[in-house]
Amino acid sequence: MILNVTGMTAVVVGGDARAAGQVTSLLDGGATVTVVAPEVTASIDDLAARGQVVWTRREPEPGDLQDADIVLRGHASEPSDRILGTGSVTLVGGGPGDPGLVTVAGREAIESADVIVTDRLAPLAALAWARPDAEIIDVAKIPGGRSTSQDDINQLLVEHAKAGQHVVRFKGGDNFVFGRGGEELLACFDAGIEARIVPGVTSAIAAPALAGVPVTHRGLTQGFTVVSGHVPPGHADSTLDYAALARSGATIVVLMGVRTLGAICAALIEGGLPATTPAAVIADGAMPSQRVVRATVATIDAEAAAAGLGAPAVAVIGAVADIPGLNGISA
Ligand SMILES: C[S@@+](CC[C@H](N)C(=O)[O-])C[C@H]1O[C@@H](n2cnc3c(N)ncnc32)[C@H](O)[C@@H]1O
């Protein structure tokens, strides 16, 4: 599955959701990737914005391909005319980014799907497992950028299933961990659609694990709490009790907290957490670009910012972030 294309230059002609899968496979394999297409799907747009691919925004020209080691055409075959029966929706958790962390059940669902509705943080290289005639729809929500509303996504799932198609809703991590999986399942049930769940490996546990940070460790902590940092402490929409978290003795795992990490750490210290408590940030966990920064709860925000770490990232606060013998692991 992982291509060995280290150091090669690749050109992907076309920018649809299937091309996004090819781009991700090439990046995972170590290639430098240029996408040539007048329009691209949201996931490729996001990779270009994050500097991971170059997007040449026009129709391809002969000179584009001359110096490339690899040229791929990111076009799907036309969907075939199939005899359709009763449709269904399968929510598949894709894990944090490495297609090797998709479950066997997740892979089987992708291989047999008529329609795959994907997100930006799903391991898009796994789309190579899709049938050539499967329709792939990218509904990535990019912070501050393109997005498809949740109502529209629910409607897409339901409409395709009502038309007799087997739909996979493919997301990063686990669909039920800040993944709107419950809402999508309810939308299916409300519409009388058969739906099932293939749980995924959540980044909340996997990204720290890959950096040598076990969220629990005998003798250090008897539990962990996963929180969303999408709004800072004190914000009108925040429902978390940071003082209680500070006193809990549990490891604190923060998702969606790159922008708010400083405020979260300050609230935890104010709530009584010692300023010397170890902390780590793991960005792009399970991806070739994975990076790890370790510091204390007092300094982690500044250290992560100084190292240029950005979303997607998981922050871990607690003694587990600095276990001698494990704290040198970075990928
Ligand atoms: C909307 S939440 C979805 C979480 C996902 N359902 C899961 O279980 O991993 C998105 C957040 O998950 C975290 N995340 C997802 N993939 C990640 C990765 N590969 N490395 C680090 N953090 C990741 C980041 O905190 C990101 O902002």
Side-chain angles (χ1 to χ4, degrees), residues 47-301:
L47 287 170
R50 291 194 284 136
Q52 301 208 2
V53 299
V54 173
W55 172 21
T56 304
R57 196 175 191 149
R58 55 167 168 72
E59 294 293 348
E61 294 169 2
D64 291 334
L65 315 180
Q66 255 166 20
D67 298 325
D69 299 312
I70 305 164
V71 176
L72 294 179
R73 289 182 195 281
H75 299 296
S77 330
E78 288 301 312
S80 59
D81 289 331
R82 285 184 296 276
I83 300 164
L84 299 173
T86 311
S88 66
V89 171
T90 306
L91 305 183
V92 176
D98 176 350
L101 296 177
V102 177
T103 65
V104 174
R107 179 169 180 152
E108 285 169 359
I110 290 167
E111 285 172 342
S112 59
D114 298 308
V115 178
I116 302 175
V117 180
T118 73
D119 260 33
R120 175 175 71 102
L121 291 179
L124 298 179
L127 295 176
W129 304 330
R131 292 192 335 234
D133 62 337
E135 183 181 356
I136 300 176
I137 305 171
D138 183 353
V139 294
K141 291 180 191 150
I142 299 172
R146 292 198 216 176
S147 75
T148 308
S149 76
Q150 190 60 47
D151 281 349
D152 287 349
I153 294 172
N154 294 352
Q155 209 178 331
L156 258 180
L157 301 178
V158 166
E159 278 176 3
H160 280 93
K162 275 191 172 161
Q165 293 175 307
H166 293 289
V167 183
V168 159
R169 174 67 172 122
F170 190 42
K171 297 209 63 153
D174 183 278
N175 302 46
F176 279 8
V177 180
F178 303 129
R180 314 288 290 256
E183 293 166 56
E184 292 174 0
L185 197 60
L186 285 170
C188 291
F189 289 161
D190 285 350
I193 302 294
E194 184 195 321
R196 70 182 186 109
I197 300 142
V198 177
V201 175
T202 178
S203 66
I205 298 173
L210 290 166
V213 179
V215 290
T216 68
H217 193 74
R218 194 161 58 94
L220 283 186
T221 176
Q222 296 176 352
F224 65 97
T225 305
V226 181
V227 301
S228 166
H230 79 290
V231 289
H235 187 281
D237 293 338
S238 174
T239 58
L240 294 169
D241 182 341
Y242 282 91
L245 286 173
R247 284 193 309 271
S248 69
T251 302
I252 301 160
V253 180
V254 184
L255 268 57
M256 294 177 277
V258 169
R259 277 181 305 107
T260 53
L261 189 57
I264 289 172
C265 290
L268 291 170
I269 293 169
E270 198 184 315
L273 193 72
T276 51
T277 304
V281 171
I282 305 98
D284 291 356
M287 302 179 197
S289 47
Q290 174 172 305
R291 290 180 66 201
V292 182
V293 166
R294 293 167 208 277
T296 67
V297 66
T299 57
I300 188 69
D301 180 45

